[in-house]
Amino acid sequence: PRILISIDLEELHLQTGKGRALSLEERLQMSRKELENIITLLDRYQVRATFFVTAAWAQADPELLRQVSRKHEVAAYGCMEKKVLEQVIGRRIYGCRMPVGIRPDYGVLKAVGYLYHSGGQRLRPMTIEGGMYEIYAGRIRSLWRTKLFLGRQGVVSLRFSVHEFLGTAFPLRVGKVLEYLQRKGQFMPHIEWLQEQLSDE
């Protein structure tokens, strides 16, 4: 099977223990640290993934994002991020993911120039919605659930967010899942998988 791993790379919305909201720079600094941990984990299991990135993140650390883009696909986290991301990494952005709770307007996304949107989990890995490709992505679960529900599918599409790496339990779970999936299939970014599907039609 083809295995699609995607990561939401956004500035964290956190507060201190005293209820003070963290500044944008503090939130970005925390997510940079977690990104380094994620990259180490992806490298360990030879994962080529798709990072859905906000414009604020790209502008705050453009060189780090360019490093990520050398191995992984960069896509937009939000509708209007495309132009900023393309300027930062110097190549076309094909995909978009709307933040949780915001329903995608496929007509607008298509007009902006996106080829696909990647949202919540459905039974089929891909459909066409409003003239755009919709690639579904489920949350990373425990290893036994991965084996039970995902091990025999033709494509496995999973997502997580940089802020989920703040604890210790979730990174361990992701590592076990990636180690299992590495033995079962081939990791690839969303756009490569989509191009493979279109070439087969």
Side-chain angles (χ1 to χ4, degrees):
R2 304 306 196 216
I3 303 163
L4 315 180
I5 301 294
S6 59
I7 301 101
D8 296 340
L9 183 54
E10 55 185 312
E11 50 280 11
L12 304 176
H13 298 284
L14 301 172
Q15 293 185 336
T16 65
K18 298 178 181 178
R20 178 182 69 84
L22 297 176
S23 70
L24 176 61
E25 182 50 43
E26 288 173 315
R27 289 181 280 143
L28 286 166
Q29 186 59 38
M30 292 178 73
S31 65
R32 281 187 199 104
K33 183 175 183 238
E34 301 316 318
L35 175 60
E36 291 170 8
N37 295 333
I38 291 168
I39 293 295
T40 299
L41 189 66
L42 297 181
D43 286 346
R44 182 181 308 152
Y45 298 108
Q46 289 122 32
V47 177
R48 293 176 60 239
T50 301
F51 284 82
F52 289 89
V53 185
T54 64
W57 213 105
Q59 291 170 321
D61 207 330
E63 183 51 41
L64 183 54
L65 187 60
R66 283 191 283 271
Q67 290 175 21
V68 168
S69 73
R70 291 184 192 118
K71 183 171 183 180
H72 305 279
E73 177 188 4
V74 172
Y77 191 74
C79 178
M80 304 312 291
E81 322 290 288
K82 188 174 190 292
K83 186 174 181 181
V84 170
L85 294 174
E86 289 177 337
Q87 288 174 343
V88 169
I89 68 169
R91 64 181 71 159
R92 182 177 171 192
I93 298 295
Y94 293 95
C96 172
R97 172 174 287 157
M98 295 304 292
V100 175
I102 300 179
R103 186 177 177 85
D105 183 327
Y106 294 104
V108 170
L109 296 180
K110 189 174 181 181
V112 171
Y114 293 112
L115 183 61
Y116 73 85
H117 176 269
S118 180
Q121 181 64 51
R122 301 265 180 101
L123 292 178
R124 292 175 293 175
M126 183 178 73
T127 61
I128 296 177
E129 305 282 349
M132 279 193 67
Y133 297 99
E134 175 70 57
I135 302 173
Y136 298 112
R139 306 301 293 180
I140 288 185
R141 306 295 183 187
S142 57
L143 181 57
W144 73 267
R145 285 192 178 187
T146 301
K147 289 181 177 180
L148 185 62
F149 296 112
L150 303 177
R152 297 182 182 176
Q153 295 184 10
V155 59
V156 175
S157 182
L158 299 172
R159 71 182 281 190
F160 58 89
S161 177
V162 65
H163 67 76
E164 292 178 282
F165 267 68
L166 289 172
T168 56
F170 187 76
L172 288 173
R173 183 194 313 165
V174 173
K176 290 178 181 178
V177 169
L178 294 180
E179 182 180 16
Y180 170 75
L181 292 174
Q182 182 188 39
R183 301 192 303 266
K184 297 295 180 180
Q186 178 185 351
F187 293 109
M188 60 189 347
H190 283 52
I191 187 58
E192 289 184 17
W193 178 76
L194 179 56
Q195 289 168 338
E196 184 177 80
Q197 305 313 298
L198 297 179
S199 69
D200 289 341
E201 290 181 356

